[in-house]
């Protein structure tokens, strides 16, 4: 039976409402605040990501234009001046993106572009600083971190700082990057005139590639230059059976596959 002002328990119910009503209202307000706060964060975060994505898209387009123009050895004076201006604008756009969205993957990608431009221009010291800046971005991705570490170490080696390169290259990395890591360590040891350690690292890299049925011609050349003849790596067996002629039986052909890690 519904309560009325004349019901025996009406006073008790009204008293309970007065006592706990404020708590109920507060709980509702907190729930609403959490909901609208979360909605605002999602909308604002999405907007920021969109802005960063648009900025990076512009950087990528300008980088493609710069890279294409740089490949032309017969640029006229006007075109060369335009190329210099485009490079300056590219650096400026990258710096703007990094300053406004410095913890985003777009900032990391933009810094990779900047470092590549610097390496192409043989400015290894500047490239090393750019890779160092990219390495400071915590993206929570071990693979991206490994890529940055390897490129940073390679650039340090190019500057002539083999000790710093060795320190960077010796950091822990995911197993998928260990072959590249060992090959780089071999390069560093060779630069330090440590032939024995270089041979060991190159052999480690080759065996890691063997376990994945991959091969690298450049690594093989490095090993041969040190008097090592690397054992050929057989490619994976094809799962596709092909018939040469209708009269011949089906045969399984072997093919060699070569894959390059993202770190290279």
């Amino acid at each position: 039976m519904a309560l009325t002002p004349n019901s025996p328990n009406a006073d008790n119910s009204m008293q309970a409402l007065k006592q706990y009503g404020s708590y109920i209202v507060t709980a509702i307000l907190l729930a609403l605040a959490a909901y609208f706060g979360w909605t605002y964060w999602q909308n604002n975060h999405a907007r920021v990501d969109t802005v960063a994505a648009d900025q990076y898209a512009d950087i990528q387009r300008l980088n493609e234009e710069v890279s294409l123009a740089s490949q032309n050895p017969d640029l006229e004076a006007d075109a060369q001046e335009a190329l210099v201006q485009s490079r300056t604008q590219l650096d400026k756009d990258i710096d703007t993106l990094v300053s406004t969205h410095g913890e985003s993957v777009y900032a990391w990608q933009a810094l990779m572009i900047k470092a590549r431009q610097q390496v192409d221009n043989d400015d290894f010291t500047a490239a090393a600083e750019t890779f160092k800046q990219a390495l400071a971005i915590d993206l929570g991705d071990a693979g991206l971190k490994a890529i940055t570490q390897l490129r940073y170490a390679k650039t340090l080696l190019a500057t002539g700082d083999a000790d710093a390169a060795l320190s960077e290259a010796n950091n822990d990395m995911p197993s998928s990057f260990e072959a590249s890591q060992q090959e780089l360590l071999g390069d560093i040891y060779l630069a330090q005139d440590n032939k024995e350690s270089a041979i060991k690292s190159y052999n480690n890299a080759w065996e890691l590639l063997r376990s994945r049925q991959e091969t690298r011609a450049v690594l093989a050349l490095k090993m041969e230059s040190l008097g090592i003849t690397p054992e050929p790596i057989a490619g994976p067996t094809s799962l596709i059976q092909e018939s040469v002629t209708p009269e011949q039986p089906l045969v399984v052909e072997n093919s060699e596959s070569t894959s390059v890690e993202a770190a290279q």
Side-chain angles (χ1 to χ4, degrees):
M1 180 176 66
L3 292 176
T4 66
N6 296 323
S7 300
N9 295 326
D11 292 340
N12 292 338
S13 298
M14 293 300 294
Q15 183 65 28
L17 183 61
K18 291 178 181 179
Q19 182 177 354
Y20 299 108
S22 61
Y23 296 105
I24 296 173
V25 172
T26 300
I28 293 173
L29 290 176
L30 288 174
L32 289 173
Y35 170 76
F36 287 113
W38 171 247
T39 302
Y40 171 80
W41 184 89
Q42 283 186 311
N43 292 337
N44 185 64
H45 187 67
R47 184 183 65 80
V48 170
D49 279 353
T50 301
V51 171
D54 290 342
Q55 289 179 339
Y56 177 72
D58 291 339
I59 289 170
Q60 199 170 30
R61 283 192 293 269
L62 184 56
N63 176 60
E64 290 173 356
E65 294 175 6
V66 169
S67 298
L68 184 61
S70 300
Q71 295 173 9
N72 187 353
D74 301 321
L75 289 179
E76 297 182 355
D78 291 345
Q80 290 178 354
E81 183 178 352
L83 176 58
V84 171
Q85 293 176 352
S86 294
R87 282 174 172 163
T88 301
Q89 185 62 49
L90 179 61
D91 286 343
K92 182 179 178 181
D93 291 347
I94 290 173
D95 291 342
T96 298
L97 173 58
V98 173
S99 66
T100 54
H101 308 290
E103 296 303 315
S104 68
V105 68
Y106 299 109
W108 179 85
Q109 290 174 304
L111 289 171
M112 292 296 103
I113 289 177
K114 184 177 182 178
R116 182 55 186 265
Q117 289 286 342
Q118 292 165 333
V119 168
D120 289 344
N121 292 322
D122 295 331
D123 192 353
F124 299 110
T125 300
E129 287 301 316
T130 301
F131 282 128
K132 185 177 180 180
Q133 187 178 3
L135 194 59
I137 301 176
D138 184 8
L139 298 175
D141 188 297
L144 295 182
K145 183 178 181 180
I147 290 172
T148 313
Q149 287 175 325
L150 288 171
R151 293 180 180 177
Y152 181 34
K154 287 180 181 179
T155 308
L156 288 171
L157 180 60
T159 66
D161 195 346
D163 292 339
L166 181 61
S167 177
E168 192 62 40
N170 265 323
N171 285 313
D172 291 336
M173 296 184 187
S175 58
S176 57
F177 293 90
E178 286 180 354
S180 291
Q181 182 184 30
Q182 288 297 317
E183 182 178 353
L184 177 56
L185 286 172
D187 295 342
I188 296 171
Y189 288 131
L190 197 58
Q192 294 178 326
D193 293 325
N194 189 344
K195 183 178 178 180
E196 183 178 350
S197 294
I199 290 174
K200 182 178 179 181
S201 293
Y202 285 151
N203 279 327
N204 289 341
W206 193 258
E207 291 307 312
L208 287 166
L209 291 172
R210 182 189 306 283
S211 67
R212 300 205 301 258
Q213 294 182 304
E214 296 179 17
T215 186
R216 290 183 187 170
V218 174
L219 175 58
L221 290 173
K222 292 177 183 178
M223 297 172 73
E224 289 171 0
S225 70
L226 294 176
I228 310 169
T229 302
E231 184 180 348
I233 299 175
T237 302
S238 173
L239 298 179
I240 301 176
Q241 293 180 324
E242 298 179 312
S243 176
V244 178
T245 64
E247 293 77 20
Q248 292 179 334
L250 294 176
V251 295
V252 179
E253 295 186 354
N254 291 332
S255 61
E256 290 188 350
S257 63
T258 302
S259 64
V260 180
E261 294 173 359
Q264 292 187 313

